[in-house]
């Protein structure tokens, strides 16, 4: 993939499923009932269970791992806002676009605008990312 | 520790944790981490490290029902191998209690056994206003 300002990264799509939310709770140690207990969640203003924000953020990181490989895992950074909850049944698309390329210490720092949106095209996560890649 | 009792600079007790192969496998299944499996071998996904650090933080932080995780900053400083023993250090970065707006930002840093920082972050919450007394 050519790294130029304006380049869009290959998107990644994931369907949110309650089974994966349950699995994520066990792997992350976050057992908040808003993610796991439909009866509890029904009585809250959210009305249903929602995915952990960090689960949806993991889709973004997975998309960036696909684009930048080990460079992402060893030098990446994220600055994001959670804009809306993701619910079981939603389809999330994670994407990114290069907004800057800066030479630094024999490498290049790639700056990106990143976004996760749902099937209604509503933003679920917005923000920016940076990664150091070889010059 | 609850919101009322927190002040910027307050530190949380350090929390030790490790991500064994079974936990990492469960994490990758949950997030459908095929790209990570393909490129990273025994390396733990940095978001899995962050999630564990946040869970440890939540265990020591009494947030009221209705608290919302609104923002996240993360910096990956190095890779973590499966089974490495890690320690999370966290402190209150900012607290805003203004009218109905209550916000809390917490800085955290995860270090490996050699005390090398492998992950930094800041997590932000918006909290509901305290219930009015009748």
């Amino acid at each position: 993939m050519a790294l130029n300002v304006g380049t869009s990264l290959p998107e990644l799509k994931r369907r949110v499923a309650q089974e994966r939310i349950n699995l994520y709770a066990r792997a992350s140690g976050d057992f908040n009932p808003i993610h796991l207990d439909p009866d509890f969640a029904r009585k809250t203003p959210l009305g249903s269970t929602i995915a952990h924000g960090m689960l949806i953020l993991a889709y973004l990181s997975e998309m960036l791992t696909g684009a930048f490989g080990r460079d992402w895992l060893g030098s990446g950074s994220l600055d994001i806002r959670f804009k809306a909850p993701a619910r079981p049944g939603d389809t999330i698309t994670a994407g990114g676009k290069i907004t800057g390329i800066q030479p630094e210490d024999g490498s290049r720092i790639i700056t990106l605008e990143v976004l996760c949106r749902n099937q209604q095209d509503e933003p679920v996560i917005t923000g920016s990312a940076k990664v150091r890649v070889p010059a | 520790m609850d919101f009322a009792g927190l002040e910027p600079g307050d530190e949380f007790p350090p929390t030790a944790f490790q991500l064994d192969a079974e936990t990492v496998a469960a994490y990758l299944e949950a997030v459908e981490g095929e790209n990570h499996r393909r490129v990273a071998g025994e390396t733990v996904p940095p978001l899995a490290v962050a999630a564990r650090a946040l869970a440890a933080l939540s265990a020591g932080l009494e947030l009221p029902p209705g608290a919302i995780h609104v923002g996240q900053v993360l910096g990956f400083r190095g890779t973590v191998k499966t089974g490495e023993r890690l320690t999370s250090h966290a402190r209150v970065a900012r607290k805003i209690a203004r009218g109905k707006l209550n916000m809390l930002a917490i800085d955290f840093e995860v270090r490996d056994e050699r005390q090398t920082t492998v992950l930094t972050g800041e997590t932000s919450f918006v909290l509901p206003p305290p219930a009015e007394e009748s």
Side-chain angles (χ1 to χ4, degrees):
Chain A
M1 182 180 60
L3 300 179
N4 298 305
V5 172
T7 299
S8 292
L9 305 185
E11 291 185 336
L12 177 140
K13 272 188 201 297
R14 292 285 185 264
R15 187 165 181 278
V16 180
Q18 187 64 52
E19 298 73 28
R20 294 205 189 268
I21 295 172
N22 297 346
L23 194 56
Y24 183 87
R26 288 201 290 279
S28 68
D30 181 346
F31 296 99
N32 187 326
I34 193 63
H35 306 303
L36 303 172
D37 183 343
D39 291 334
F40 172 89
R42 233 185 325 271
K43 294 173 195 152
T44 72
L46 290 164
S48 72
T49 58
I50 58 170
H52 305 73
M54 292 294 284
L55 167 56
I56 306 305
L57 188 56
Y59 298 160
L60 202 51
S61 184
E62 173 70 1
M63 182 274 295
L64 290 160
T65 303
F68 298 106
R70 284 181 166 271
D71 291 332
W72 171 248
L73 300 172
S75 74
S77 64
L78 283 164
D79 185 351
I80 64 89
R81 309 293 290 174
F82 296 107
K83 307 298 279 188
R87 301 169 192 277
D90 283 354
T91 298
I92 302 296
T93 303
K97 189 166 144 182
I98 296 175
T99 56
I101 301 175
Q102 191 69 34
E104 188 180 289
D105 299 333
S107 306
R108 290 179 295 167
I109 305 295
I110 309 291
T111 306
L112 304 113
E113 186 180 276
V114 292
L115 171 71
C116 286
R117 61 184 198 278
N118 65 18
Q119 67 281 3
Q120 267 119 27
D121 220 24
E122 297 163 336
V124 173
I125 292 175
T126 62
S128 62
K130 285 186 182 182
V131 58
R132 180 186 292 273
V133 301
Chain B
M1 288 196 246
D2 65 6
F3 180 73
L6 292 172
E7 293 300 333
D10 284 352
E11 293 186 5
F12 296 86
T15 308
F17 63 94
Q18 53 192 151
L19 290 146
D20 59 24
E22 192 181 338
T23 304
V24 172
Y27 178 90
L28 288 172
E29 190 179 340
V31 305
E32 300 172 77
E34 285 87 5
N35 288 335
H36 185 90
R37 283 194 196 98
R38 181 170 50 78
V39 305
E42 295 282 299
T43 302
V44 177
L47 267 284
V49 176
R52 272 290 160 145
L54 289 176
L57 178 63
S58 299
L61 183 62
E62 292 170 34
L63 293 178
I68 303 170
H69 185 186
V70 292
Q72 188 64 58
V73 176
L74 290 171
F76 313 150
R77 301 282 175 259
T79 51
V80 174
K81 286 210 180 332
T82 304
E84 268 194 86
R85 189 173 171 79
L86 304 170
T87 310
S88 177
H89 302 259
R91 66 177 186 88
V92 177
R94 290 187 304 284
K95 173 183 171 180
I96 299 170
R98 195 179 302 141
K100 290 190 172 180
L101 176 68
N102 288 323
M103 278 195 70
L104 185 64
I106 296 174
D107 280 339
F108 64 92
E109 183 176 307
V110 179
R111 299 180 199 149
D112 65 14
E113 286 171 338
R114 296 171 297 282
Q115 295 302 307
T116 303
T117 299
V118 294
L119 183 102
T120 59
E122 181 186 284
T123 189
S124 309
F125 299 96
V126 170
L127 294 89
E132 289 179 23
E133 292 181 18
S134 55

